[in-house]
Amino acid sequence: MSKAMIAAAFALAAVTTPAAAQEWPARNITLVVPFAAGGGIDANARLQAVALGEVLGQTIIVENVGAAAGTVGSARVAKAAPDGYTLLIGNTGTHAYSQSLYKKPPYDAAKDFEPVGLVSESPRILIVRKDLPVNNLQEFIAYAKANQGKMQYGSAGVGSGTHLPCALLNMAIGVEVTHIPFRGAGPAMQDLIGGRIDYMCDTIQTGAAQVKGGTVKGIAVMSPKRVPIVADLATTGEQGLPGVEATVWNGFFFPKGTPELIVRKMNKALGDMMARPDLRQKMEAIGLAVVPPEQRTPEYLAKFMPEEIERWGKVIRAGSINMD
């Protein structure tokens, strides 16, 4: 192609891009869920995809790309065309943990995406086997300090959203307990119920259900405030361990370079979506907390991510945790 043709192509793009942004969305949008179908994030994403599609007047097609703790699907979006038709639902794992777990992360979470906004949070819950002789956080701390050499905690895998919260807890109370990584949170829960491991920091959705069912004991909610689905369980802060909070957040991202007008339109659509009482009720019913409007802006998410990367980076480095 001649230099003149290249220049003409760039000139055409400069003219057509604003028009395309004005007309967006003119077709279906693909929402990449960087985790396998059937999990908590997938269920959350599908709820929102339906509602978001109704707000935008276009179908949101959910595509699961589950591999490498969410980094494969996230990298795919980072490299996609920045035209507003490929969207990612990212979380603490894909955009905070990943930056320290890998020596060479497949993307820069703070620079390779256009933040659209945070949507929800899912606190972790500290649960223990039902015959562990503790009933609250202070008793758990005392027991762990006295028995750390023979205790084990489980998770859905190294670097997962059920691993690092417990690593944070252990670091805060000054114990070294053997970590048992499982192939998913389900098998870890089964071993906790069976008494083969001592504790785990599970999602509020499944952890609270098991506590209510009496198969495990609930010790503390790892969030700033109590959650409705297990309202009688005190937080870590209420039980004398302030600052030891682990909430996995979910937010939306476009590829870097997506026109600001499209980002703003999508952000407004998120706000309209979250204003729907039926959706909020469905999300809260599965243990998700909807973030307040001031935390749903692109600016907030852009500022929040580096803070989260540094916060969890300290935990990962202190525990010598890596995925390489």
Side-chain angles (χ1 to χ4, degrees), residues 201-244:
C201 299
D202 199 18
T203 65
I204 195 70
Q205 295 95 318
T206 56
Q210 295 296 338
V211 170
K212 290 180 177 179
T215 60
V216 299
K217 288 183 188 177
I219 299 299
V221 175
M222 303 176 73
S223 66
K225 59 183 181 180
R226 298 193 187 197
V227 295
I229 61 172
V230 60
D232 58 338
L233 186 59
T235 67
T236 46
E238 288 177 312
Q239 297 188 65
L241 206 60
V244 182

Side-chain angles (χ1 to χ4, degrees), residues 92-182:
T92 315
T94 61
H95 281 66
Y97 300 167
S98 66
Q99 303 302 283
S100 298
L101 284 171
Y102 297 91
K103 291 180 180 178
K104 295 182 178 180
Y107 49 81
D108 186 322
K111 296 180 179 179
D112 292 345
F113 300 88
E114 295 290 350
V116 178
L118 287 175
V119 176
S120 62
E121 297 177 329
S122 173
R124 306 295 91 165
I125 178 174
L126 173 61
I127 52 179
V128 303
R129 55 182 169 85
K130 61 183 179 182
D131 58 345
L132 197 73
V134 302
N135 293 295
N136 58 53
L137 185 57
Q138 289 303 319
E139 290 179 2
F140 172 84
I141 293 171
Y143 183 89
K145 286 184 175 181
N147 297 278
Q148 58 186 295
K150 60 183 181 181
M151 291 180 74
Q152 297 179 328
Y153 73 97
S155 80
V158 174
S160 68
T162 52
H163 173 203
L164 294 182
C166 269
L168 170 65
L169 173 69
N170 294 342
M171 185 173 72
I173 65 178
V175 299
E176 293 186 11
V177 177
T178 300
H179 172 227
I180 307 297
F182 291 79

